[in-house]
Amino acid sequence: MRRRNPRRAYDEKGREIAPPTVGDCRARGETTAAATCHGCHHHVVFSTDRFPDWLPFPDMALRLRCSACGSRDVSVMMDIQAHYARLNA
Ligand SMILES: [Zn+2]
């Protein structure tokens, strides 16, 4: 079996599910994202403004480094608080 990318989701047949891009999220009004460091569990919300539209959303993690411990073992997810704030607006 092909090695799986930890930043991708897979369906039940093991096919990679294409992630949304930064541009897709921007089009939905998402201008921030949340990052968590696996080294020290530091959690931050950051602006996605400096990332290009074409970049797969989870791959922003490749360009981030934890500001607390310097680790590059970081994962990126939707900024849930901003998401709920928009739903309730
Ligand atoms: Zn850290």
Side-chain angles (χ1 to χ4, degrees):
M1 190 167 58
R2 221 155 55 86
R3 205 162 147 258
R4 292 187 173 201
N5 182 333
R7 289 178 310 281
R8 292 294 181 272
Y10 293 86
D11 68 13
E12 70 281 1
K13 295 224 165 68
R15 289 175 300 218
E16 185 178 310
I17 298 166
T21 63
V22 174
D24 292 334
C25 295
R26 213 169 262 148
R28 291 199 296 259
E30 293 172 24
T31 58
T32 54
T36 301
C37 171
H38 295 288
C40 71
H41 303 290
H42 183 64
H43 181 83
V44 290
V45 168
F46 62 96
S47 168
T48 61
D49 289 355
R50 67 190 168 100
F51 296 97
D53 279 343
W54 56 263
L55 187 72
F57 183 85
D59 288 355
M60 286 192 288
L62 300 174
R63 299 175 177 217
L64 298 174
R65 181 189 289 270
C66 176
S67 60
C69 75
S71 172
R72 289 188 155 278
D73 187 10
V74 171
S75 58
V76 171
M77 62 229 96
M78 179 193 261
D79 179 357
I80 289 293
Q81 287 187 341
H83 178 67
Y84 286 130
R86 273 193 308 280
L87 290 180
N88 295 325

